[in-house]
Amino acid sequence: AQRVTQPEKLLSVFKGAPVELKCNYSYSGSPELFWYVQYSRQRLQLLLRHISRESIKGFTADLNKGETSFHLKKPFAQEEDSAMYYCALSVNDMRFGAGTRLTVKP
Amino acid sequence: EAEVAQSPRYKITEKSQAVAFWCDPISGHATLYWYRQILGQGPELLVQFQDESVVDDSQLPKDRFSAERLKGVDSTLKIQPAELGDSAMYLCASSLGGPSGYTGELFFGEGSRLTVL
């Protein structure tokens, strides 16, 4: 069965520092992976998807099939990046990890 | 901008009572999802609809939970009887769906927070 693991519940960095939110998945086929974000008092929303190979708000994520990982990275964190981040895996349905709360301190 | 609507936003009930949540997806979205999110955890899929048909309800506790999407538009999730462990946020989401429409982007509602006393 497919599963998503986000090993860090909490992550705190200072503004301007690099940030990496970890995501590992278990699935034997070719996965479709996503990062969703929930800012304070807002709805859960899509941040980026691996097939698009896009950078959204300075964030990128690379799929590493060998390590079954899809870590989210940003070289210079901003205070407005503080939010809850969820990694998600889509096979027949969308499965979410437990989430990582990122806090960017001034 | 079109949004997924959910009601009620908050519901407090006593155990053994019946509870119902309503969701109106974005117009034209064929796929509708109900997720349950327990505090400190990620959303857990309960049921997925494609139009009016259930695609996946393998995680739905069918002894007490039911869901319907009769006309393939809005949907209702019911719990009867509610138990203490059902306290959670119930999220509805919709997506375009279908082989040509699915992009992996789910649009979420604000959720319905249930507290069972």
Side-chain angles (χ1 to χ4, degrees), chain A residues 18-106:
Chain A
V19 63
E20 179 179 69
L21 292 89
K22 292 183 168 52
C23 172
N24 291 91
Y25 66 91
S26 59
Y27 177 61
S28 56
S30 294
E32 287 190 57
L33 287 152
F34 306 84
W35 278 98
Y36 277 76
V37 61
Q38 187 167 26
Y39 301 103
S40 178
R41 296 190 179 85
Q42 293 188 28
R43 301 165 188 235
L44 190 57
Q45 60 187 287
L46 178 67
L47 179 63
L48 56 80
R49 67 202 87 187
H50 91 272
I51 56 172
S52 299
R53 296 183 177 274
E54 57 199 345
S55 173
I56 303 293
K57 299 183 178 182
F59 284 97
T60 58
D62 291 320
L63 176 60
N64 185 322
K65 291 186 178 181
E67 296 184 356
T68 60
S69 68
F70 187 57
H71 302 329
L72 183 68
K73 301 177 184 179
K74 185 170 183 177
F76 307 103
Q78 302 300 313
E79 290 181 67
E80 56 265 30
D81 296 328
S82 295
M84 197 74 190
Y85 290 82
Y86 295 94
C87 183
L89 169 66
S90 177
V91 179
N92 296 315
D93 54 49
M94 188 73 76
R95 302 282 176 106
F96 290 84
T100 298
R101 180 172 297 283
L102 173 65
T103 301
V104 181
K105 297 180 285 187

Side-chain angles (χ1 to χ4, degrees), chain B residues 36-100:
Chain B
R36 176 173 60 186
Q37 186 171 23
I38 296 170
L39 194 62
Q41 300 182 20
E44 171 197 10
L45 181 68
L46 292 175
V47 61
Q48 177 179 339
F49 290 91
Q50 182 71 28
D51 299 310
E52 67 276 8
S53 301
V54 173
V55 173
D56 183 359
D57 64 356
S58 57
Q59 302 300 311
L60 188 71
K62 298 182 188 63
D63 56 336
R64 298 184 301 107
F65 285 65
S66 64
E68 61 183 15
R69 194 184 183 199
L70 292 176
K71 296 182 179 179
V73 181
D74 58 337
S75 175
T76 302
L77 177 70
K78 296 179 181 177
I79 308 174
Q80 183 173 17
E83 296 181 352
L84 296 177
D86 296 332
S87 293
M89 177 74 84
Y90 290 83
L91 294 168
C92 179
S94 69
S95 68
L96 282 169
S100 59

